Amino acid sequence: MITTSVARIILAPREQQVLEGLSGGSTLAVVALDLKIREGTAAGYLKLAKRKLYGVSENAAALAVGYTTEAIARPPLLDPETLFLPDGQRDIVPLLARGMAAAQMATELKRPVDIIRRDGRDLLTNLRARNRAHAVKRSWEFQLLTAEQVIAWLR
């Protein structure tokens, strides 16, 4: 149940399937193969989903908005106490979910871009995530990313 004022978004079943496939860390080509559709068709579904999800452009942002608006099934929550993340890595989670590049994160956090890149790599390792989209799912599971955080940057 959404406890905020963001409206629920309804995606077509294939749009949901493509996003959920990406959330597991698969590439679009693998997701398309799994769904037995062409990669171009999967890209079309992804584009439509992103448009519905507040017009985001990055896969990671599409997943964050999808979970927040309940357009896709939210992953089960895990105990955040079982994951240790340094503050530097924790700080970039909401920025990564917005689809920001390392240089944008560095500007936002007033930190050197090479440190942001290192923290980003370490974050993926610590979350056992394959890519940014998978990191969003893992961040949601460990409650490092919340609907309230996503709503804040949607406004």
Side-chain angles (χ1 to χ4, degrees):
M1 169 108 178
I2 297 176
T3 59
T4 59
S5 61
V6 173
R8 184 159 194 249
I9 294 174
I10 307 296
L11 297 178
R14 281 291 195 200
E15 295 166 352
Q16 290 176 344
Q17 292 168 339
V18 169
L19 276 178
E20 288 167 352
L22 292 173
S23 75
S26 296
T27 63
L28 189 59
V30 170
V31 171
L33 188 62
D34 290 346
L35 295 175
K36 297 176 179 41
I37 58 176
R38 292 183 180 172
E39 187 175 354
T41 303
Y45 286 128
L46 181 58
K47 185 177 179 181
L48 289 170
K50 287 178 179 178
R51 190 176 305 140
K52 291 177 184 177
L53 296 167
Y54 289 86
V56 297
S57 60
E58 299 295 325
N59 294 349
L63 286 171
V65 175
Y67 292 145
T68 298
T69 61
E70 298 180 358
I72 54 175
R74 292 178 174 183
L77 300 180
L78 301 172
D79 182 2
E81 298 298 319
T82 63
L83 178 72
F84 170 76
L85 282 184
D87 288 342
Q89 292 174 34
R90 206 172 279 275
D91 292 343
I92 65 173
V93 167
L95 305 179
L96 182 134
R98 288 174 69 175
M100 285 187 175
Q104 293 170 308
M105 290 182 206
T107 300
E108 180 87 12
L109 297 172
K110 297 174 179 52
R111 294 173 48 209
V113 71
D114 58 322
I115 300 297
I116 296 292
R117 286 188 180 117
R118 184 200 66 209
D119 283 346
R121 285 189 303 270
D122 292 346
L123 175 66
L124 290 179
T125 299
N126 288 334
L127 288 174
R128 295 178 309 284
R130 296 183 191 123
N131 54 36
R132 286 172 160 239
H134 193 210
V136 166
K137 177 183 180 185
R138 300 289 292 156
S139 295
W140 193 278
E141 290 172 332
F142 282 109
Q143 303 168 57
L144 301 169
L145 181 65
T146 65
E148 290 75 24
Q149 289 171 308
V150 175
I151 290 165
W153 59 262
L154 284 176
R155 293 184 178 183

